[in-house]
Amino acid sequence: MTHLPQLALEDVGKSFTLHLRGGVRLPVLSGLSFTVRRGECVALGGPSGTGKSSVLRMVYGNYRCDEGAIKVRDEGEWVDVASATPRRIIALRRRAMGHVSQFLRVIPRIGALDLVAAAGRDSGLDFEAADARARELLGRLNLPARLWTLPPATFSGGEQQRVNIARGLIGNHPLLLLDEPTASLDARNRAAVIGLARQRRDSGCAVLGVFHDAEVRAALADREIDLGRFTRVVAAEAV
Amino acid sequence: MTNVPLLSVEGLTMRYGTRTGCADVSFDLHDGEVLAVVGESGSGKTTLLRLLAQELAPDAGRVRYRMRDGGVRDLATLDEAAQRLLARTEWGYIRQDATDGLRMSVSAGGNAGERLMAIGMRHYGQIRGAASDWLRRVEIDPARIDETPQSFSGGMRQRLQIARNLITEPRLVLMDEPTSGLDVSVQARLLDLVRGLVTELGLAIVIVTHDLAVARLLSHRMMVMRRGCVIETGLTDRVLDDPEAPYTQLLVSSVLAA
């Protein structure tokens, strides 16, 4: 099971065109190719602004991919996110990839535990299993039980981030995308996240992440890809 | 689950004289999918819904629908009786203005139960029981079953419309700005109700809205319309987070964050 490629980027390029700013084109990346295998954790590196989060978002289908292919393995079949239909991407998100974004963005007025369990049900767990797994994850992430029934809108940044992590991890997807998962966490919770991510990697999950924290990167990443090499030269005068 | 779309729309076009209502609109909708159609007023959103519901006849294009027996039919080829039966059983249509979607002088129970009578249910007690059950599901006190919607608030009227439409367990529901004109707190409650029913019943929905937050909350996919044309389409979070067309960028950047 392990060592099979789970994600392959081939000659990926991305730029943003800001039509409301006179059509300014912001190049982000070009010619980016790499593979992530099951059971390994790859860190995206490079100075800020080199498109690390954009790569994660493109893999998840949240940003458009302008050039190249982004292939994700889904039960023995390769699916190119860059050209797949929305329906296919939704199925991929359910079965094949989990995403922990930098900021929690969820349906309002729903309690934390329900939000996490709903993500589990989306990925195919039945009601009881989703509920049990959500409790287990929130427990391991040290989210105080008194918060579980409350909507996270009023939570601290660190508490929201842990709800977000639980949502991303509950599905047991073969590909996990982590965008600064420990940015607003204290040492104890950072360790909890490292533990969970390692466990997933060691059980054969392919992990692709952005980790600014050197300690987290050293603890998780098997290798690093420096996006600086693929960054398009930004014509500063145009911006 | 079948791979044949529930609804398949091809090149749907309609003009009002020289003005374009809807130009060359195509999309597929599968069971359980929620498609949001967004755009400013006059962009052709409501025209599109009315074309889908066969309330308007297109100048070009067609709408095909997968019937319960699995056969796919071009809706324009169905006779009026067959279309009416579909509209009463398989489809729902939630109107922007509840007074267009309800019988205002008929009791809440009569409104909710009407579709059951229309499909041949005759037992008064059963119809009343089903109506009362649905009033409860849309959070209307069943004790008000004999009141007319005249005495209901805007939010209650919209919820009654939902009960009236869902009582026959339709597979496809068209919604035209169901939350516009409601107070935000009432709006939130209605959206929570709709979201719950969508998940529970696996409804396919085409929802027209100018509110991008409503689209983000409810829909899987989005279609942005302007002057009758579809100018951008895709996964809802993709269209909102990485809008491509100049007009979509304008729409997204114009939203006031509270």
Side-chain angles (χ1 to χ4, degrees):
Chain A
M1 270 320 263
T2 52
H3 313 308
L4 285 174
Q6 178 63 34
L7 169 71
L9 273 72
E10 294 167 4
D11 223 4
V12 164
K14 170 78 183 162
S15 63
F16 292 101
T17 305
L18 309 182
H19 293 289
L20 306 180
R21 295 282 175 274
V24 171
R25 199 162 157 275
L26 289 179
V28 181
L29 287 158
S30 69
L32 177 64
S33 302
F34 67 87
T35 303
V36 184
R37 293 171 181 277
R38 303 197 65 171
E40 77 168 337
C41 174
V42 174
L44 294 173
S48 81
T50 45
K52 300 187 291 291
S53 291
S54 294
V55 170
L56 293 182
R57 284 165 171 257
M58 281 192 281
V59 173
Y60 201 61
N62 177 235
Y63 278 3
R64 232 167 344 99
C65 171
D66 302 333
E67 299 161 14
I70 297 176
K71 294 180 180 165
V72 176
R73 218 174 160 80
D74 179 22
E75 292 167 1
E77 182 194 353
W78 284 104
V79 179
D80 176 16
V81 175
S83 58
T85 62
R87 191 161 175 259
R88 193 71 189 83
I89 295 175
I90 290 171
L92 264 188
R93 289 176 177 183
R94 287 196 176 129
R95 288 200 297 260
M97 54 185 179
H99 181 215
V100 176
S101 56
Q102 276 187 65
F103 303 102
L104 179 69
R105 178 172 231 161
V106 290
I107 296 155
R109 301 177 294 279
I110 298 193
L113 181 65
D114 282 351
L115 283 170
V116 177
R121 292 196 298 273
D122 268 352
S123 61
L125 296 177
D126 67 31
F127 192 88
E128 279 78 26
D131 185 69
R133 180 99 178 103
R135 288 171 188 276
E136 183 203 332
L137 280 168
L138 290 179
R140 282 190 66 177
L141 289 163
N142 307 308
L143 191 79
R146 65 186 157 77
L147 297 179
W148 291 9
T149 55
L150 304 177
T154 54
F155 290 8
S156 74
E159 287 160 352
Q160 292 197 4
Q161 182 59 344
R162 280 175 281 156
V163 174
N164 213 14
I165 291 166
R167 276 173 60 84
L169 288 174
I170 194 170
N172 262 327
H173 300 104
L175 172 63
L176 189 56
L177 308 166
L178 301 174
D179 195 352
E180 296 270 23
T182 58
S184 38
L185 302 185
D186 59 22
R188 175 174 172 237
N189 288 313
R190 208 155 49 226
V193 173
I194 291 172
L196 282 166
R198 259 193 169 150
Q199 194 184 345
R200 291 296 305 282
R201 181 197 63 187
D202 294 345
S203 65
C205 174
V207 183
L208 177 66
V210 177
F211 313 103
H212 271 175
D213 186 307
E215 182 203 333
V216 176
R217 193 164 57 235
L220 278 177
D222 300 301
R223 60 193 171 92
E224 181 171 320
I225 292 165
D226 181 4
L227 288 189
R229 293 188 289 129
F230 304 96
T231 307
R232 284 176 166 154
V233 181
V234 181
E237 66 276 15
V239 181
Chain B
M1 210 161 246
T2 169
N3 260 322
V4 181
L6 183 64
L7 190 71
S8 183
V9 177
E10 266 177 42
L12 215 51
T13 300
M14 176 171 167
R15 291 178 199 86
Y16 297 102
T18 56
R19 209 160 51 80
T20 304
C22 202
D24 197 20
V25 175
S26 302
F27 65 89
D28 284 346
L29 189 72
H30 288 82
D31 297 286
E33 265 190 333
V34 180
L35 172 72
V37 183
V38 305
E40 61 203 0
S41 5
S43 58
K45 306 186 301 276
T46 299
T47 300
L48 174 63
L49 277 197
R50 299 194 64 199
L51 285 166
L52 296 179
Q54 307 294 302
E55 290 185 0
L56 295 173
D59 295 317
R62 60 179 180 167
V63 180
R64 283 180 299 171
Y65 181 76
R66 195 184 76 239
M67 312 291 274
R68 276 199 204 259
D69 65 10
V72 175
R73 300 289 302 272
D74 182 337
L75 290 179
T77 65
L78 295 179
D79 63 34
E80 222 171 286
Q83 279 187 9
R84 209 162 41 231
L85 183 66
L86 273 183
R88 280 174 177 165
T89 56
E90 299 252 320
W91 302 343
Y93 197 154
I94 314 288
R95 318 269 168 177
Q96 177 172 14
D97 184 345
T99 60
D100 293 334
L102 294 172
R103 289 184 196 277
M104 295 305 285
S105 56
V106 171
S107 71
N111 267 292
E114 184 176 340
R115 281 167 69 126
L116 293 179
M117 290 184 267
I119 59 169
M121 204 163 169
R122 287 287 172 265
H123 189 286
Y124 177 76
Q126 279 173 5
I127 294 170
R128 193 173 167 87
S132 160
D133 188 42
W134 264 98
L135 290 183
R136 197 175 301 115
R137 285 180 83 170
V138 299
E139 299 162 21
I140 294 175
D141 181 357
R144 302 187 68 172
I145 192 166
D146 295 318
E147 291 178 33
T148 68
Q150 305 275 15
S151 67
F152 286 6
S153 67
M156 279 174 77
R157 288 178 184 181
Q158 285 310 50
R159 295 203 299 277
L160 180 57
Q161 266 206 93
I162 290 171
R164 174 180 165 90
N165 278 276
L166 296 193
I167 199 162
T168 50
E169 294 178 12
R171 296 194 293 164
L172 171 67
V173 179
L174 309 174
M175 297 187 175
D176 192 358
E177 303 271 14
T179 58
S180 70
L182 301 176
D183 290 341
V184 283
S185 58
V186 177
Q187 214 178 76
R189 198 166 147 210
L190 187 72
L191 287 172
D192 289 349
L193 174 75
V194 171
R195 212 178 46 77
L197 290 170
V198 168
T199 330
E200 186 188 332
L201 305 173
L203 301 170
I205 293 187
V206 182
I207 179 169
V208 156
T209 178
H210 63 268
D211 187 335
L212 298 183
V214 169
R216 194 188 277 276
L217 185 70
L218 291 180
S219 71
H220 303 111
R221 286 194 293 140
M222 247 174 87
M223 211 159 81
V224 183
M225 288 186 74
R226 191 185 197 196
R227 296 183 190 134
C229 299
V230 175
I231 56 165
E232 184 159 357
T233 176
L235 270 177
T236 297
D237 63 85
R238 206 282 297 154
V239 172
L240 292 175
D241 293 340
D242 185 14
E244 183 173 22
Y247 178 67
T248 316
Q249 292 189 358
L250 177 66
L251 271 187
V252 171
S253 72
S254 305
V255 175
L256 295 175

